[in-house]
Amino acid sequence: MDLDDVTTALALAARSGDALAVERFVRALHRDVLRYVAHLCADPQAVDDLAQDTFLRALGSLHRFEGRSSARAWLLSIARRAVIDSYRYAAARPRPSDTADWQLAVELAQPRGLPGFDDGVALLDLVAALPAERREAFVLTQLLGLPYAEAAEVSDCPVGTVRSRVARARATLTAQLDRAA
């Protein structure tokens, strides 16, 4: 059984009130949710909160999960809506910065000197620079490993559109890496 089959079975068992299945379901998908939310969210400080919100929403509506799609696709759809809702909330209630030079404070807080850190930051910057739809399709399929059909379900668009977005994202990233080399 692959991860999607296992997590879907866990979600169905959790729906019936199996506490151990709930724990195993959350543990199995927590990393995927964190990674997906991190790529969608512009605020690294909010990632953990959004992941927690995702699981709270999912567990609250688990009784409606019927297993027609994988539990991972279902959960990532919830994560996507949680991020969108957080953007809407932030737009309605902007927070002022209490630091005079907040950009400098953020730069100084970043870890330095870790092996591969600069390369990882450069790659994340390249992925972050992709248009939102292409970035989402790329992250879902290439980083999280979702099949194109499930990525289409999460993104609420046709499979062909996801394939096109991933192909264009790859082409853009390859061109940017070629220029940097």
Side-chain angles (χ1 to χ4, degrees):
M1 248 198 296
D2 69 353
L3 177 65
D4 285 335
D5 293 337
V6 169
T7 55
T8 300
L10 287 171
L12 292 170
R15 180 179 77 165
S16 303
D18 182 342
L20 181 59
V22 171
E23 181 182 341
R24 291 179 64 208
F25 170 73
V26 171
R27 284 183 190 219
L29 293 173
H30 189 258
R31 184 174 176 186
D32 283 348
V33 170
L34 281 175
R35 289 175 69 187
Y36 183 54
V37 167
H39 282 284
L40 291 179
C41 180
D43 181 7
Q45 302 298 323
V47 171
D48 286 331
D49 290 340
L50 288 168
Q52 183 178 6
D53 184 39
T54 298
F55 282 104
L56 287 172
R57 290 178 184 202
L59 295 176
S61 61
L62 199 54
H63 63 280
R64 292 191 306 248
F65 178 70
E66 297 177 1
R68 289 187 300 231
S69 65
S70 76
R72 184 163 61 152
W74 174 74
L75 188 61
L76 293 176
S77 295
I78 294 171
R80 183 174 191 259
R81 286 190 299 277
V83 171
I84 290 169
D85 290 347
S86 77
Y87 280 128
R88 288 183 183 140
Y89 178 80
R93 303 196 192 302
R95 297 181 317 196
S97 173
D98 61 347
T99 304
D101 188 356
W102 64 269
Q103 288 177 322
L104 178 61
V106 168
E107 288 175 17
L108 293 175
Q110 298 300 315
R112 303 206 185 275
L114 299 176
F117 179 77
D118 291 336
D119 294 336
V121 168
L123 185 56
L124 288 175
D125 287 346
L126 292 176
V127 171
L130 291 170
E133 296 86 9
R134 291 180 191 174
R135 181 177 59 246
E136 179 182 28
F138 184 82
V139 168
L140 286 171
T141 60
Q142 307 306 299
L143 298 180
L144 296 179
L146 279 183
Y148 284 96
E150 290 185 13
E153 183 180 325
V154 169
S155 300
D156 195 28
C157 66
V159 174
T161 302
V162 171
R163 290 183 193 280
S164 173
R165 289 174 180 171
V166 170
R168 288 184 178 147
R170 283 182 183 156
T172 300
L173 290 172
T174 300
Q176 290 174 338
L177 289 172
D178 287 345
R179 276 188 243 133

